[in-house]
Amino acid sequence: MQFDRRALLMSLAAATAMLALPKRAGATFQPERFAAARKDDRGNFSAALFTLDGDVQTVELPGRGHDIALKPDGDEWVAFARRPGRFGVAISVAGRPPVWFASKPNRHFFGHGVYSADGKLLYAAENDYERAAGMIGVRDATDGYKQIGEFPAHGMEPHDIALLADGRTMVIANGGIETHPDRGSDELNLPDMQPSLVYVDVATGELLEEQRLAPELHQLSIRHLAIAAGDTAVFGCQYRGPEQDAPALIGFHRRGETPVVVEAPGATQAGLRNYIGSVAADRAGGIVAASAPKGGLVTYWDVARRRYLGACGVSDGCGLAPTHRSASFLLTSGEGWLVTAEAGGAMSRQASAFQWDNHAILVR
């Protein structure tokens, strides 16, 4: 794969200047810990806290998991069911018994969630499928993850959610696709779907800002988020229009500005196969990785300059997490690979005994 090395070096310099993160004491001597959902060769589902040397902690799941939410202090993590699943489980790093919770009746999870800045609340992206309305459920993380409230997502299919640096503003990627658990994987409104990127005050549920793409892109479903340097929301899309269209799939937005959606060059854009499965920012927030598992590609993007940097090949590679090093990521594959990769092109692969699901996170 080709990389724009000059742009990469400039991106690293800019990211270092914008966001210098302190290292934990002793971090150099401790293996990085990640968390992700997965399936073994017997079809059993689980979620795991792991290093590249093996599992640290696991929990069996009653069905397929999706994404992981991490408590801000790093001492607890939650695995969510994949749509249209209804279960979630909170796992203590210290080894306390897992805490299971479920969606309300007539709701299911979309597989993503985020903790409040103080770690006392858990927000979950949910589908009120009888009303075809997106909701954000609010749970008390200090009291058994009981649901204590909810507020509207101000759009249909709130797939991914994240908080900005102020801890009060939530970004919601509303995919815009209507589904119902009784209809399986059917997508019920493709001719008139309306995806959106919205910002909501979590204290009040008030809609602060709504962004929609150009009308001709109304079938470009906004799905996954990474919050990069400068509170830039980087979003990955999945196109539900004609396959031959091959529109740009990676977008950048800061509040008050117009979203910018950027193409990859040449054949790489077609090679993404209209599907971005995950996005993640590196430790400094200046470079974002975006996976295209259908195309077997992971692409890298310069946040400050809104430009493509390069790509690497990972068969069915979807899960992404930053490592402790700038411009470095863990990549996970549905075919069993764990890959550490630098945005400049260096890669190291190792086989595992699991088929990894769509997402991964760095725990510590």
Side-chain angles (χ1 to χ4, degrees):
M1 297 292 176
Q2 296 298 314
F3 287 82
D4 186 334
R5 297 188 180 278
R6 180 174 180 275
L8 175 61
L9 292 173
M10 293 175 67
S11 300
L12 287 169
T16 301
M18 293 176 69
L19 185 62
L21 299 179
K23 294 182 179 179
R24 287 175 178 255
T28 303
F29 307 102
Q30 298 176 358
E32 292 157 324
R33 293 184 174 189
F34 305 94
R38 63 193 190 180
K39 182 175 73 172
D40 67 20
D41 58 5
R42 295 174 295 172
N44 299 314
F45 296 102
S46 63
L49 177 69
F50 63 97
T51 73
L52 293 179
D53 295 322
D55 289 348
V56 175
Q57 161 179 70
T58 64
V59 59
E60 292 186 7
L61 301 179
R64 183 175 172 182
H66 195 62
D67 199 9
I68 307 294
L70 178 66
K71 202 171 184 179
D73 62 12
D75 290 335
E76 196 160 82
W77 51 284
V78 166
F80 286 99
R82 181 180 185 267
R83 177 188 72 84
R86 302 170 188 266
F87 69 84
V89 59
I91 301 102
S92 162
V93 174
R96 295 186 297 274
V99 178
W100 293 87
F101 56 91
S103 62
K104 293 168 58 175
N106 299 328
R107 301 277 199 277
H108 66 69
F109 294 126
F110 280 115
H112 292 268
V114 65
Y115 279 91
S116 61
D118 62 8
K120 294 181 179 180
L121 300 174
L122 178 71
Y123 303 102
E126 303 182 6
N127 187 17
D128 179 350
Y129 50 83
E130 298 298 348
R131 297 191 303 122
M135 301 297 295
I136 306 300
V138 185
R139 288 172 170 74
D140 186 345
T142 71
D143 187 18
Y145 289 84
K146 296 174 183 176
Q147 184 154 2
I148 58 173
E150 60 183 19
F151 54 85
H154 301 281
M156 188 179 293
E157 195 204 2
H159 192 75
D160 203 355
I161 58 178
L163 290 180
L164 297 187
D166 64 8
R168 181 161 174 163
T169 304
M170 176 177 287
V171 191
I172 304 175
N174 284 314
I177 301 174
E178 181 182 355
T179 59
H180 192 289
D182 292 345
R183 296 288 299 273
S185 60
D186 291 350
E187 297 173 327
L188 306 176
N189 67 331
L190 295 187
D192 57 0
M193 57 182 284
Q194 293 292 334
S196 62
L197 187 73
V198 303
Y199 296 80
V200 174
D201 185 330
V202 296
T204 66
E206 177 188 0
L207 176 65
L208 302 174
E209 182 175 347
E210 179 184 46
Q211 294 288 343
R212 294 192 180 187
L213 304 179
E216 63 270 19
L217 294 177
H218 78 97
Q219 289 182 305
L220 190 61
S221 181
I222 301 173
R223 309 286 291 180
H224 293 109
L225 293 169
I227 305 303
D231 265 350
T232 302
V234 184
F235 54 92
C237 302
Q238 298 172 15
Y239 186 57
R240 291 299 191 258
E243 184 177 351
Q244 64 271 19
D245 289 355
L249 301 174
I250 303 297
F252 301 84
H253 183 254
R254 292 183 66 185
R255 286 202 61 197
E257 300 178 359
T258 300
V260 177
V261 186
V262 183
E263 286 189 355
T268 301
Q269 181 62 43
L272 302 179
R273 296 187 59 186
N274 287 331
Y275 187 99
I276 295 298
S278 184
V279 290
D282 79 333
R283 65 178 294 274
I287 293 174
V288 161
S291 61
K294 291 184 178 181
L297 292 173
V298 174
T299 57
Y300 301 99
W301 303 82
D302 180 325
V303 174
R305 293 170 179 80
R306 314 303 203 245
R307 63 177 292 183
Y308 171 86
L309 291 172
C312 65
V314 182
S315 181
D316 196 21
C318 194
L320 300 168
T323 73
H324 291 155
R325 301 173 302 283
S326 294
S328 174
F329 298 88
L330 173 78
L331 320 178
T332 67
S333 165
E335 294 186 357
W337 296 103
L338 293 173
V339 180
T340 51
E342 310 292 329
M347 298 175 65
S348 175
R349 301 172 185 250
Q350 64 185 66
S352 77
F354 301 94
Q355 301 168 44
W356 297 92
D357 216 277
N358 295 51
H359 301 285
I361 64 164
L362 174 67
V363 174
R364 61 178 57 171

